[in-house]
PDB file of all heavy atoms in Angstrom:
ATOM      1  N   PHE V 180     -40.297  -9.575  45.165  1.00  0.00           N
ATOM      2  CA  PHE V 180     -41.114 -10.139  46.213  1.00  0.00           C
ATOM      3  C   PHE V 180     -40.341  -9.934  47.540  1.00  0.00           C
ATOM      4  O   PHE V 180     -39.162 -10.234  47.627  1.00  0.00           O
ATOM      5  CB  PHE V 180     -41.330 -11.673  46.037  1.00  0.00           C
ATOM      6  CG  PHE V 180     -42.251 -12.003  44.908  1.00  0.00           C
ATOM      7  CD1 PHE V 180     -41.767 -12.375  43.675  1.00  0.00           C
ATOM      8  CD2 PHE V 180     -43.612 -12.012  45.117  1.00  0.00           C
ATOM      9  CE1 PHE V 180     -42.613 -12.752  42.647  1.00  0.00           C
ATOM     10  CE2 PHE V 180     -44.493 -12.355  44.054  1.00  0.00           C
ATOM     11  CZ  PHE V 180     -43.964 -12.718  42.843  1.00  0.00           C
ATOM     12  N   ASN V 181     -41.049  -9.464  48.579  1.00  0.00           N
ATOM     13  CA  ASN V 181     -40.470  -9.280  49.893  1.00  0.00           C
ATOM     14  C   ASN V 181     -41.049 -10.233  50.899  1.00  0.00           C
ATOM     15  O   ASN V 181     -42.186 -10.731  50.712  1.00  0.00           O
ATOM     16  CB  ASN V 181     -40.700  -7.815  50.385  1.00  0.00           C
ATOM     17  CG  ASN V 181     -39.876  -6.857  49.555  1.00  0.00           C
ATOM     18  OD1 ASN V 181     -38.671  -6.996  49.426  1.00  0.00           O
ATOM     19  ND2 ASN V 181     -40.552  -5.880  48.998  1.00  0.00           N
ATOM     20  N   ASN V 182     -40.368 -10.426  51.988  1.00  0.00           N
ATOM     21  CA  ASN V 182     -40.862 -11.220  53.145  1.00  0.00           C
ATOM     22  C   ASN V 182     -41.241 -12.633  52.819  1.00  0.00           C
ATOM     23  O   ASN V 182     -42.263 -13.157  53.302  1.00  0.00           O
ATOM     24  CB  ASN V 182     -42.017 -10.474  53.801  1.00  0.00           C
ATOM     25  CG  ASN V 182     -41.584  -9.080  54.299  1.00  0.00           C
ATOM     26  OD1 ASN V 182     -40.490  -8.934  54.801  1.00  0.00           O
ATOM     27  ND2 ASN V 182     -42.419  -8.092  54.077  1.00  0.00           N
ATOM     28  N   LEU V 183     -40.476 -13.314  51.962  1.00  0.00           N
ATOM     29  CA  LEU V 183     -40.721 -14.690  51.698  1.00  0.00           C
ATOM     30  C   LEU V 183     -39.939 -15.562  52.697  1.00  0.00           C
ATOM     31  O   LEU V 183     -38.923 -15.191  53.225  1.00  0.00           O
ATOM     32  CB  LEU V 183     -40.221 -15.072  50.293  1.00  0.00           C
ATOM     33  CG  LEU V 183     -40.898 -14.344  49.117  1.00  0.00           C
ATOM     34  CD1 LEU V 183     -40.287 -14.758  47.796  1.00  0.00           C
ATOM     35  CD2 LEU V 183     -42.391 -14.586  49.122  1.00  0.00           C
ATOM     36  N   CYS V 184     -40.459 -16.747  52.966  1.00  0.00           N
ATOM     37  CA  CYS V 184     -39.768 -17.735  53.841  1.00  0.00           C
ATOM     38  C   CYS V 184     -38.869 -18.616  52.968  1.00  0.00           C
ATOM     39  O   CYS V 184     -39.180 -18.834  51.791  1.00  0.00           O
ATOM     40  CB  CYS V 184     -40.789 -18.578  54.578  1.00  0.00           C
ATOM     41  SG  CYS V 184     -41.870 -17.653  55.685  1.00  0.00           S
ATOM     42  N   ALA V 185     -37.844 -19.164  53.577  1.00  0.00           N
ATOM     43  CA  ALA V 185     -36.977 -20.094  52.857  1.00  0.00           C
ATOM     44  C   ALA V 185     -37.816 -21.297  52.437  1.00  0.00           C
ATOM     45  O   ALA V 185     -38.754 -21.711  53.157  1.00  0.00           O
ATOM     46  CB  ALA V 185     -35.874 -20.537  53.788  1.00  0.00           C
ATOM     47  N   GLY V 186     -37.489 -21.837  51.284  1.00  0.00           N
ATOM     48  CA  GLY V 186     -38.227 -22.999  50.814  1.00  0.00           C
ATOM     49  C   GLY V 186     -38.086 -23.228  49.308  1.00  0.00           C
ATOM     50  O   GLY V 186     -37.241 -22.614  48.659  1.00  0.00           O
ATOM     51  N   LYS V 187     -38.915 -24.084  48.807  1.00  0.00           N
ATOM     52  CA  LYS V 187     -38.946 -24.412  47.386  1.00  0.00           C
ATOM     53  C   LYS V 187     -40.269 -23.975  46.803  1.00  0.00           C
ATOM     54  O   LYS V 187     -41.319 -24.342  47.339  1.00  0.00           O
ATOM     55  CB  LYS V 187     -38.816 -25.940  47.179  1.00  0.00           C
ATOM     56  CG  LYS V 187     -38.719 -26.381  45.722  1.00  0.00           C
ATOM     57  CD  LYS V 187     -38.720 -27.884  45.597  1.00  0.00           C
ATOM     58  CE  LYS V 187     -37.434 -28.469  46.109  1.00  0.00           C
ATOM     59  NZ  LYS V 187     -37.365 -29.947  45.820  1.00  0.00           N
ATOM     60  N   TYR V 188     -40.248 -23.160  45.780  1.00  0.00           N
ATOM     61  CA  TYR V 188     -41.441 -22.577  45.226  1.00  0.00           C
ATOM     62  C   TYR V 188     -41.495 -22.686  43.676  1.00  0.00           C
ATOM     63  O   TYR V 188     -40.456 -22.635  43.048  1.00  0.00           O
ATOM     64  CB  TYR V 188     -41.540 -21.040  45.600  1.00  0.00           C
ATOM     65  CG  TYR V 188     -41.591 -20.816  47.085  1.00  0.00           C
ATOM     66  CD1 TYR V 188     -40.426 -20.473  47.767  1.00  0.00           C
ATOM     67  CD2 TYR V 188     -42.798 -20.968  47.777  1.00  0.00           C
ATOM     68  CE1 TYR V 188     -40.479 -20.241  49.160  1.00  0.00           C
ATOM     69  CE2 TYR V 188     -42.828 -20.751  49.145  1.00  0.00           C
ATOM     70  CZ  TYR V 188     -41.703 -20.357  49.837  1.00  0.00           C
ATOM     71  OH  TYR V 188     -41.749 -20.156  51.199  1.00  0.00           O
ATOM     72  N   THR V 189     -42.724 -22.735  43.167  1.00  0.00           N
ATOM     73  CA  THR V 189     -42.926 -22.785  41.738  1.00  0.00           C
ATOM     74  C   THR V 189     -43.289 -21.375  41.242  1.00  0.00           C
ATOM     75  O   THR V 189     -44.297 -20.808  41.668  1.00  0.00           O
ATOM     76  CB  THR V 189     -44.094 -23.748  41.372  1.00  0.00           C
ATOM     77  OG1 THR V 189     -43.802 -25.021  41.975  1.00  0.00           O
ATOM     78  CG2 THR V 189     -44.242 -23.839  39.865  1.00  0.00           C
ATOM     79  N   PHE V 190     -42.428 -20.813  40.377  1.00  0.00           N
ATOM     80  CA  PHE V 190     -42.660 -19.495  39.812  1.00  0.00           C
ATOM     81  C   PHE V 190     -43.211 -19.630  38.387  1.00  0.00           C
ATOM     82  O   PHE V 190     -42.671 -20.403  37.591  1.00  0.00           O
ATOM     83  CB  PHE V 190     -41.368 -18.698  39.727  1.00  0.00           C
ATOM     84  CG  PHE V 190     -40.871 -18.200  41.067  1.00  0.00           C
ATOM     85  CD1 PHE V 190     -40.344 -19.047  42.016  1.00  0.00           C
ATOM     86  CD2 PHE V 190     -40.960 -16.834  41.352  1.00  0.00           C
ATOM     87  CE1 PHE V 190     -39.920 -18.553  43.248  1.00  0.00           C
ATOM     88  CE2 PHE V 190     -40.506 -16.344  42.578  1.00  0.00           C
ATOM     89  CZ  PHE V 190     -39.987 -17.199  43.509  1.00  0.00           C
ATOM     90  N   ILE V 191     -44.335 -18.976  38.114  1.00  0.00           N
ATOM     91  CA  ILE V 191     -44.950 -19.003  36.786  1.00  0.00           C
ATOM     92  C   ILE V 191     -44.789 -17.599  36.240  1.00  0.00           C
ATOM     93  O   ILE V 191     -45.248 -16.601  36.806  1.00  0.00           O
ATOM     94  CB  ILE V 191     -46.424 -19.405  36.856  1.00  0.00           C
ATOM     95  CG1 ILE V 191     -46.540 -20.793  37.473  1.00  0.00           C
ATOM     96  CG2 ILE V 191     -47.042 -19.392  35.448  1.00  0.00           C
ATOM     97  CD1 ILE V 191     -47.970 -21.197  37.797  1.00  0.00           C
ATOM     98  N   ILE V 192     -44.094 -17.500  35.041  1.00  0.00           N
ATOM     99  CA  ILE V 192     -43.798 -16.214  34.440  1.00  0.00           C
ATOM    100  C   ILE V 192     -44.567 -16.127  33.125  1.00  0.00           C
ATOM    101  O   ILE V 192     -44.481 -17.025  32.294  1.00  0.00           O
ATOM    102  CB  ILE V 192     -42.296 -16.063  34.201  1.00  0.00           C
ATOM    103  CG1 ILE V 192     -41.522 -16.288  35.512  1.00  0.00           C
ATOM    104  CG2 ILE V 192     -41.959 -14.675  33.642  1.00  0.00           C
ATOM    105  CD1 ILE V 192     -41.042 -17.666  35.679  1.00  0.00           C
ATOM    106  N   GLU V 193     -45.295 -14.995  32.921  1.00  0.00           N
ATOM    107  CA  GLU V 193     -46.082 -14.799  31.701  1.00  0.00           C
ATOM    108  C   GLU V 193     -45.909 -13.401  31.171  1.00  0.00           C
ATOM    109  O   GLU V 193     -45.716 -12.456  31.962  1.00  0.00           O
ATOM    110  CB  GLU V 193     -47.555 -15.081  31.989  1.00  0.00           C
ATOM    111  CG  GLU V 193     -47.838 -16.520  32.399  1.00  0.00           C
ATOM    112  CD  GLU V 193     -49.319 -16.744  32.654  1.00  0.00           C
ATOM    113  OE1 GLU V 193     -49.869 -16.003  33.501  1.00  0.00           O
ATOM    114  OE2 GLU V 193     -49.888 -17.667  32.069  1.00  0.00           O
ATOM    115  N   HIS V 194     -46.028 -13.288  29.862  1.00  0.00           N
ATOM    116  CA  HIS V 194     -46.023 -11.980  29.199  1.00  0.00           C
ATOM    117  C   HIS V 194     -46.771 -12.123  27.907  1.00  0.00           C
ATOM    118  O   HIS V 194     -46.611 -13.134  27.203  1.00  0.00           O
ATOM    119  CB  HIS V 194     -44.575 -11.509  28.963  1.00  0.00           C
ATOM    120  CG  HIS V 194     -44.473 -10.129  28.338  1.00  0.00           C
ATOM    121  ND1 HIS V 194     -44.340  -9.944  27.007  1.00  0.00           N
ATOM    122  CD2 HIS V 194     -44.489  -8.905  28.901  1.00  0.00           C
ATOM    123  CE1 HIS V 194     -44.240  -8.636  26.743  1.00  0.00           C
ATOM    124  NE2 HIS V 194     -44.346  -7.989  27.901  1.00  0.00           N
ATOM    125  N   LEU V 195     -47.468 -11.071  27.557  1.00  0.00           N
ATOM    126  CA  LEU V 195     -48.260 -11.085  26.315  1.00  0.00           C
ATOM    127  C   LEU V 195     -47.339 -11.295  25.128  1.00  0.00           C
ATOM    128  O   LEU V 195     -46.292 -10.655  24.992  1.00  0.00           O
ATOM    129  CB  LEU V 195     -49.000  -9.749  26.139  1.00  0.00           C
ATOM    130  CG  LEU V 195     -49.967  -9.651  25.007  1.00  0.00           C
ATOM    131  CD1 LEU V 195     -51.119 -10.653  25.200  1.00  0.00           C
ATOM    132  CD2 LEU V 195     -50.541  -8.276  24.898  1.00  0.00           C
ATOM    133  N   GLY V 196     -47.660 -12.256  24.308  1.00  0.00           N
ATOM    134  CA  GLY V 196     -46.817 -12.572  23.124  1.00  0.00           C
ATOM    135  C   GLY V 196     -45.716 -13.512  23.419  1.00  0.00           C
ATOM    136  O   GLY V 196     -44.862 -13.755  22.559  1.00  0.00           O
ATOM    137  N   CYS V 197     -45.668 -14.092  24.633  1.00  0.00           N
ATOM    138  CA  CYS V 197     -44.616 -15.001  25.012  1.00  0.00           C
ATOM    139  C   CYS V 197     -45.193 -16.366  25.461  1.00  0.00           C
ATOM    140  O   CYS V 197     -46.328 -16.407  25.946  1.00  0.00           O
ATOM    141  CB  CYS V 197     -43.792 -14.477  26.212  1.00  0.00           C
ATOM    142  SG  CYS V 197     -42.881 -12.983  25.852  1.00  0.00           S
ATOM    143  N   GLU V 198     -44.417 -17.375  25.312  1.00  0.00           N
ATOM    144  CA  GLU V 198     -44.749 -18.656  25.823  1.00  0.00           C
ATOM    145  C   GLU V 198     -44.542 -18.617  27.369  1.00  0.00           C
ATOM    146  O   GLU V 198     -43.452 -18.267  27.785  1.00  0.00           O
ATOM    147  CB  GLU V 198     -43.844 -19.729  25.188  1.00  0.00           C
ATOM    148  CG  GLU V 198     -44.307 -21.143  25.290  1.00  0.00           C
ATOM    149  CD  GLU V 198     -45.555 -21.405  24.555  1.00  0.00           C
ATOM    150  OE1 GLU V 198     -45.826 -20.851  23.493  1.00  0.00           O
ATOM    151  OE2 GLU V 198     -46.378 -22.214  25.082  1.00  0.00           O
ATOM    152  N   PRO V 199     -45.535 -18.936  28.186  1.00  0.00           N
ATOM    153  CA  PRO V 199     -45.325 -18.900  29.647  1.00  0.00           C
ATOM    154  C   PRO V 199     -44.248 -19.887  30.058  1.00  0.00           C
ATOM    155  O   PRO V 199     -44.004 -20.899  29.363  1.00  0.00           O
ATOM    156  CB  PRO V 199     -46.679 -19.333  30.215  1.00  0.00           C
ATOM    157  CG  PRO V 199     -47.640 -19.281  29.098  1.00  0.00           C
ATOM    158  CD  PRO V 199     -46.881 -19.366  27.806  1.00  0.00           C
ATOM    159  N   ASP V 200     -43.610 -19.655  31.167  1.00  0.00           N
ATOM    160  CA  ASP V 200     -42.552 -20.563  31.676  1.00  0.00           C
ATOM    161  C   ASP V 200     -42.826 -20.816  33.163  1.00  0.00           C
ATOM    162  O   ASP V 200     -43.333 -19.967  33.875  1.00  0.00           O
ATOM    163  CB  ASP V 200     -41.184 -19.906  31.494  1.00  0.00           C
ATOM    164  CG  ASP V 200     -40.071 -20.937  31.551  1.00  0.00           C
ATOM    165  OD1 ASP V 200     -40.352 -22.140  31.629  1.00  0.00           O
ATOM    166  OD2 ASP V 200     -38.899 -20.510  31.510  1.00  0.00           O
ATOM    167  N   THR V 201     -42.456 -22.003  33.596  1.00  0.00           N
ATOM    168  CA  THR V 201     -42.607 -22.388  34.981  1.00  0.00           C
ATOM    169  C   THR V 201     -41.218 -22.816  35.489  1.00  0.00           C
ATOM    170  O   THR V 201     -40.531 -23.636  34.866  1.00  0.00           O
ATOM    171  CB  THR V 201     -43.559 -23.567  35.154  1.00  0.00           C
ATOM    172  OG1 THR V 201     -44.843 -23.167  34.621  1.00  0.00           O
ATOM    173  CG2 THR V 201     -43.728 -24.009  36.577  1.00  0.00           C
ATOM    174  N   ILE V 202     -40.777 -22.197  36.590  1.00  0.00           N
ATOM    175  CA  ILE V 202     -39.450 -22.453  37.147  1.00  0.00           C
ATOM    176  C   ILE V 202     -39.598 -22.851  38.613  1.00  0.00           C
ATOM    177  O   ILE V 202     -40.307 -22.165  39.370  1.00  0.00           O
ATOM    178  CB  ILE V 202     -38.576 -21.176  37.067  1.00  0.00           C
ATOM    179  CG1 ILE V 202     -38.493 -20.620  35.667  1.00  0.00           C
ATOM    180  CG2 ILE V 202     -37.182 -21.446  37.634  1.00  0.00           C
ATOM    181  CD1 ILE V 202     -37.691 -21.399  34.680  1.00  0.00           C
ATOM    182  N   LEU V 203     -38.922 -23.906  39.027  1.00  0.00           N
ATOM    183  CA  LEU V 203     -38.893 -24.322  40.455  1.00  0.00           C
ATOM    184  C   LEU V 203     -37.627 -23.781  41.067  1.00  0.00           C
ATOM    185  O   LEU V 203     -36.505 -24.064  40.589  1.00  0.00           O
ATOM    186  CB  LEU V 203     -38.914 -25.848  40.518  1.00  0.00           C
ATOM    187  CG  LEU V 203     -39.061 -26.430  41.932  1.00  0.00           C
ATOM    188  CD1 LEU V 203     -40.401 -26.000  42.578  1.00  0.00           C
ATOM    189  CD2 LEU V 203     -38.997 -27.936  41.884  1.00  0.00           C
TER     190      LEU V 203
END
């Protein structure tokens, strides 16, 4: 990811055959 501003963000990661994960 480019050109993001400083801060706190929630990342949601998914892949077929995987349990999704959420990271702050």
Side-chain angles (χ1 to χ4, degrees):
F180 287 99
N181 290 306
N182 302 318
L183 299 178
C184 298
K187 184 186 289 188
Y188 299 99
T189 306
F190 286 72
I191 301 170
I192 306 93
E193 296 179 306
H194 184 263
L195 188 64
C197 295
E198 197 65 36
D200 200 5
T201 301
I202 307 287
L203 186 62

